[in-house]
Amino acid sequence: MIGKGARNMMRRLLSSGLGVGLLALSSAALAEDLPIRKAGLWEMKVKAGGSVPEMTMQHCTDATTDKEMSNSASPLAKQICTKQDIQKTATGYVTDSVCSVAGVTMTTHADIVGDFNSGYTVTSTSHSDKGPTGKPLDATTKIEAKWVGDCKPDQKPGDILMPGGFKLNVKDAEKLKNLIPTQKK
């Protein structure tokens, strides 16, 4: 069961557009045609513009979990995204997506540079037709991911440790579908 504080944090992330961008990036960045990340503990620093504070998350993963994340995120992404393109470049990958949540459409372009063994950076620019104030919103988000070693003894593949000590296993992602804001009628 997800607690009220965690639910509020996820709703803030999703409604800010950052969550939609991360969802779009994670489903694209973990597609079958991209390398699987090195097994172990990954630290991910998320820097977003605007009023969203920088945050650092840790993600314990292995090859099976990365592949499962792609497969479990894919049906949700297919429900909310009308476009999900990915292309290999000389330095990494480029993704383009168009996704809608709660009546808000977000167009995202991301550049993924680095490798999936030691570290990579995802720089995304997004345009939302309606931000938190009701006006269009343009945002840039940077995710710096680095492999930091083996998972800690109390972690299992799929565990994500978020700010404030909130821990979630991506295998419980089905529970998160209820946290995605719906369009107010």
Side-chain angles (χ1 to χ4, degrees), residues 4-185:
K4 185 177 181 181
R7 184 176 292 113
N8 288 339
M9 177 191 290
M10 292 300 292
R11 282 192 175 138
R12 280 196 314 268
L13 286 173
L14 289 169
S15 66
S16 72
L18 176 60
V20 175
L22 289 173
L23 174 66
L25 289 173
S26 67
S27 61
L30 297 172
E32 286 187 59
D33 55 344
L34 290 177
I36 298 294
R37 291 180 296 169
K38 181 177 182 177
L41 190 60
W42 285 84
E43 181 178 89
M44 302 174 80
K45 290 184 181 181
V46 181
K47 300 173 185 177
S51 63
V52 179
E54 179 179 320
M55 72 172 131
T56 301
M57 300 178 279
Q58 289 188 334
H59 185 198
C60 173
T61 191
D62 62 9
T64 302
T65 303
D66 259 11
K67 191 165 186 83
E68 285 176 5
M69 277 180 57
S70 173
N71 292 338
S72 66
S74 184
L76 179 58
K78 285 179 184 174
Q79 288 177 336
I80 66 171
C81 300
T82 58
K83 177 181 179 181
Q84 289 182 301
D85 294 337
I86 183 168
Q87 294 181 15
K88 182 154 179 44
T89 67
T91 58
Y93 299 89
V94 171
T95 67
D96 289 289
S97 64
V98 177
C99 303
S100 295
V101 174
V104 177
T105 299
M106 179 175 286
T107 304
T108 303
H109 172 85
D111 292 298
I112 305 167
V113 179
D115 69 64
F116 293 85
N117 287 312
S118 61
Y120 58 93
T121 300
V122 180
T123 304
S124 67
T125 55
S126 61
H127 173 79
S128 174
D129 63 354
K130 186 173 19 172
T133 64
K135 296 180 181 177
L137 177 68
D138 292 305
T140 300
T141 303
K142 187 172 188 176
I143 301 170
E144 295 174 345
K146 69 176 180 178
W147 187 82
V148 294
D150 293 333
C151 295
K152 296 176 182 172
D154 64 336
Q155 294 175 323
K156 61 181 185 259
D159 281 351
I160 297 176
L161 183 59
M162 298 180 75
F166 173 60
K167 187 176 179 180
L168 171 75
N169 192 290
V170 295
K171 294 178 182 181
D172 297 329
E174 189 68 31
K175 296 174 186 174
L176 294 177
K177 287 182 182 179
N178 295 330
L179 298 178
I180 295 176
T182 57
Q183 185 173 4
K184 295 177 183 175
K185 296 182 180 183

